[in-house]
C-alpha cells in the first residue's frame, strides 16, 4: 500500500488530504476482507469480494456518492498494481458506478452577496475585515476553499492585480483581483501588520495562526444564513456563484475554465445549467437569424 500512496504523492501530485482519504478507503476494504473472507492481503482479491463490500456499505446507509468515491480509490489502487506487474487482471475493470441523482447547486444571487458584504461592513474590527476579504476573494476569483487557505502574502501581486494560486495536483495559476478587493486587502493588511504575526499565509486568525477549513465554512455559513434561505450555504456555493454569474453575463466558457483551474471543459460545463436562460438571451441577441428587435 505504501508504494501506491507514494506514487499518488510524488507522481500524481495529490494533496495530503486526498492521499489520506485513499489510505482510509483501502484500510477499510482490507479490514472487511480480513473479517469476512479471512484474507489479509489486498493482492489476489476478486470482484465478488469487492461487490460484497459495496453491498455492505449500501446496507449501512452510506450514500451512493460516497460508495462510488471509495470504490474509485480501489480502482486506482488495482490499476497501480496492474501497472507495476503485481497483478494481471484488475478485479474492478468492469465495475459500474452506482447511480447518483444529479443535485442542482443553487448559486447565491448578486443581491445576497452584496447584502452579506454590507452586513460585514458594519464592523471594522480585525475579524470583520478579514471575513469581508475572505468573502470577496471567494466570490470574485472563484478559488477553492483549500486554495484560499494556502494563499501566502507573497502570492499577492498588487502591481499586476493578481494572486498566484496553488490548485489541485500542485498546478499553479494566476487569478485577477478586482480593484474593490484590493482596497479591502489594503485595509486588512494594515490590521494584520498590527497583529505582528510571523505567519507567511495571507489570511490568519486573530491569534496570528493560519485559518483552517472549518473556520472558513463557519464564516460563510454564518453570514449567508442571515440573508439566504438556500439549503446549502458553503464556500463552494460562492465558487459556483462566481462561475454562474460570469456565464450569465456572457463570459466565454474557456475563460471561466481557466479561472476555475479546471483541467477540462467537462468540469466547467456543469455551471451552464443555471446559465442556460442567460446564454439563450445572448444567443438570440447575437445570432444574425434571430428575431431580435
Amino acid at each position: 500500500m505504501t508504494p501506491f500512496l507514494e506514487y499518488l504523492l510524488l507522481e500524481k501530485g495529490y494533496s495530503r488530504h486526498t492521499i489520506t482519504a485513499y489510505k482510509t478507503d483501502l484500510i477499510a476494504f482490507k479490514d472487511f476482507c480480513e473479517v469476512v473472507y479471512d484474507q489479509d492481503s489486498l493482492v489476489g482479491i476478486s470482484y465478488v469480494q469487492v461487490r460484497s463490500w459495496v453491498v455492505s456499505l449500501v446496507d449501512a446507509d452510506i450514500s451512493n456518492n460516497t460508495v462510488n468515491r471509495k470504490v474509485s480509490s480501489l480502482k486506482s489502487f488495482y490499476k497501480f498494481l496492474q501497472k507495476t506487474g503485481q497483478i494481471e487482471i484488475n478485479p474492478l475493470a468492469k465495475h459500474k458506478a452506482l447511480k447518483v441523482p444529479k443535485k442542482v447547486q443553487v448559486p447565491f444571487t448578486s443581491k445576497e452577496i452584496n447584502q452579506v458584504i454590507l452586513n460585514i461592513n458594519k464592523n471594522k474590527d480585525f475579524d470583520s475585515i478579514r471575513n469581508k476579504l475572505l468573502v470577496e476573494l471567494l466570490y470574485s476569483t472563484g478559488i477553492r476553499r483549500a486554495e484560499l487557505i494556502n494563499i501566502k502574502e507573497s502570492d499577492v501581486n498588487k502591481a499586476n492585480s493578481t494572486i498566484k494560486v496553488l490548485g489541485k495536483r500542485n498546478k499553479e495559476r494566476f487569478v485577477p483581483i478586482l480593484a474593490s478587493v484590493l482596497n479591502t486587502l489594503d485595509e486588512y493588511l494594515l490590521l494584520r501588520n498590527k497583529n505582528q504575526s510571523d505567519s507567511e499565509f495571507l489570511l490568519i486568525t486573530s491569534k496570528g495562526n493560519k485559518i483552517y477549513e472549518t473556520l472558513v465554512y463557519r464564516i460563510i455559513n454564518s453570514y449567508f444564513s442571515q440573508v439566504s434561505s438556500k439549503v446549502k450555504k458553503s464556500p463552494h456555493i460562492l465558487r459556483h456563484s462566481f462561475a454562474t454569474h460570469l456565464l450569465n453575463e456572457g463570459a466565454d466558457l474557456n475563460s471561466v475554465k481557466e479561472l476555475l483551474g479546471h483541467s477540462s471543459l467537462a468540469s466547467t460545463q456543469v455551471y451552464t445549467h443555471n446559465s442556460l436562460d442567460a446564454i439563450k438571451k445572448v444567443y438570440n441577441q447575437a445570432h444574425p437569424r434571430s428575431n431580435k428587435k
Side-chain angles (χ1 to χ4, degrees):
M1 189 185 301
T2 300
F4 170 64
L5 299 176
E6 289 177 347
Y7 163 75
L8 295 181
L9 177 66
L10 302 175
E11 298 292 329
K12 303 292 285 184
Y14 286 2
S15 69
R16 297 278 181 184
H17 177 76
T18 301
I19 292 169
T20 299
Y22 273 81
K23 183 179 180 180
T24 301
D25 294 336
L26 290 173
I27 289 174
F29 179 59
K30 186 174 183 292
D31 290 345
F32 173 83
C33 290
E34 285 182 1
V35 172
V36 178
Y37 293 99
D38 196 25
Q39 184 168 344
D40 59 1
S41 174
L42 289 176
V43 178
I45 292 294
S46 70
Y47 181 64
V48 171
Q49 290 162 295
V50 175
R51 185 64 187 170
S52 179
W53 184 54
V54 169
V55 171
S56 73
L57 294 174
V58 173
D59 287 345
D61 288 332
I62 294 174
S63 71
N64 286 7
N65 198 40
T66 301
V67 172
N68 286 341
R69 182 190 60 74
K70 290 178 179 295
V71 173
S72 179
S73 297
L74 291 191
K75 261 190 174 181
S76 297
F77 176 68
Y78 284 108
K79 277 184 181 178
F80 173 78
L81 294 185
Q82 192 175 32
K83 185 178 180 180
T84 53
Q86 298 178 63
I87 60 172
E88 290 185 8
I89 300 173
N90 185 340
L92 288 100
K94 295 183 179 181
H95 174 77
K96 291 184 179 180
L98 301 179
K99 289 184 178 181
V100 178
K102 290 184 178 181
K103 292 183 179 180
V104 178
Q105 301 277 12
V106 182
F108 297 122
T109 64
S110 297
K111 184 179 179 181
E112 287 172 338
I113 294 167
N114 289 334
Q115 187 59 55
V116 163
I117 293 172
L118 283 173
N119 289 348
I120 301 176
N121 267 337
K122 292 175 183 177
N123 298 301
K124 295 297 180 181
D125 58 283
F126 175 82
D127 282 357
S128 296
I129 299 302
R130 181 206 60 206
N131 294 349
K132 180 186 175 186
L133 179 61
L134 187 151
V135 171
E136 289 184 341
L137 281 173
L138 286 172
Y139 175 59
S140 66
T141 65
I143 57 178
R144 302 175 178 93
R145 174 169 52 174
E147 294 170 345
L148 173 83
I149 290 168
N150 289 307
I151 292 174
K152 297 175 182 177
E153 194 172 353
S154 59
D155 292 330
V156 181
N157 188 327
K158 290 197 281 187
N160 291 335
S161 299
T162 59
I163 296 179
K164 183 173 71 175
V165 174
L166 189 63
K168 288 186 174 180
R169 302 184 186 180
N170 292 324
K171 290 182 179 178
E172 286 186 353
R173 71 183 188 280
F174 292 87
V175 294
I177 321 172
L178 296 173
S180 59
V181 181
L182 282 174
N183 291 335
T184 305
L185 175 65
D186 287 338
E187 193 176 1
Y188 165 74
L189 288 176
L190 283 173
L191 295 175
R192 189 190 188 284
N193 291 336
K194 291 179 182 178
N195 196 293
Q196 296 182 335
S197 170
D198 293 329
S199 176
E200 62 181 332
F201 294 98
L202 177 66
L203 295 170
I204 59 175
T205 67
S206 56
K207 293 182 179 179
N209 300 318
K210 176 186 175 184
I211 60 169
Y212 45 96
E213 290 202 359
T214 52
L215 175 61
V216 176
Y217 177 82
R218 287 204 306 267
I219 289 169
I220 298 303
N221 186 264
S222 174
Y223 281 115
F224 280 89
S225 292
Q226 298 171 24
V227 302
S228 177
S229 59
K230 291 178 175 64
V231 174
K232 194 169 182 180
K233 295 176 278 289
S234 68
H236 182 73
I237 299 300
L238 274 173
R239 177 173 164 85
H240 187 65
S241 304
F242 163 82
T244 302
H245 294 172
L246 280 180
L247 291 169
N248 282 347
E249 294 298 321
D252 173 65
L253 192 62
N254 267 305
S255 298
V256 176
K257 166 186 167 290
E258 294 300 320
L259 289 167
L260 290 171
H262 285 159
S263 57
S264 69
L265 271 178
S267 300
T268 314
Q269 284 171 334
V270 66
Y271 299 107
T272 62
H273 176 85
N274 291 309
S275 308
L276 189 56
D277 289 340
I279 291 171
K280 285 180 179 178
K281 190 180 296 183
V282 171
Y283 170 78
N284 288 327
Q285 289 173 348
H287 198 282
R289 294 285 295 168
S290 71
N291 294 322
K292 60 182 181 292
K293 294 181 181 178

